[in-house]
Amino acid sequence: AAPVRLAVVDELVRHGACACELRAQLNLSAPLLSHHLKVLREAGLVSCQKVGRRVEVELDRDALARVAGSLLAGEQAA
């Protein structure tokens, strides 16, 4: 995974956030953050919901747990 996507997930593990907050915390341009959020949404790891002018981003913890479980299972098989 791209380091930026890992940083986004790391921020969202603590709490959901507005995309504008993520941009500021990670020092990213709006287009770059939008691209990475799209990849994470398509992977089913985050959801985004527009609330007024804000875009609220939340981590799908169940999906993240499944990914982590798959990675750990693959590590044990190796």
Side-chain angles (χ1 to χ4, degrees):
V4 171
R5 287 193 287 275
L6 290 173
V8 169
V9 169
D10 186 50
E11 287 294 326
L12 294 173
V13 163
R14 290 177 233 155
H15 55 81
C18 174
C20 59
E21 294 166 352
L22 288 172
R23 278 187 42 232
Q25 291 166 344
L26 300 173
N27 195 29
L28 299 173
S29 68
L32 183 59
L33 178 62
S34 178
H35 167 73
H36 288 293
L37 287 176
K38 179 183 176 190
V39 172
L40 291 168
R41 270 193 325 271
E42 289 174 350
L45 295 175
V46 300
S47 64
C48 299
Q49 181 178 359
K50 191 160 183 162
V51 179
R53 298 180 72 164
R54 298 169 55 98
V55 176
E56 296 293 332
V57 184
E58 287 196 26
L59 185 65
D60 183 331
R61 294 179 184 279
D62 292 335
L64 184 61
R66 287 190 299 274
V67 169
S70 294
L71 291 173
L72 290 173
E75 187 177 284
Q76 292 172 357

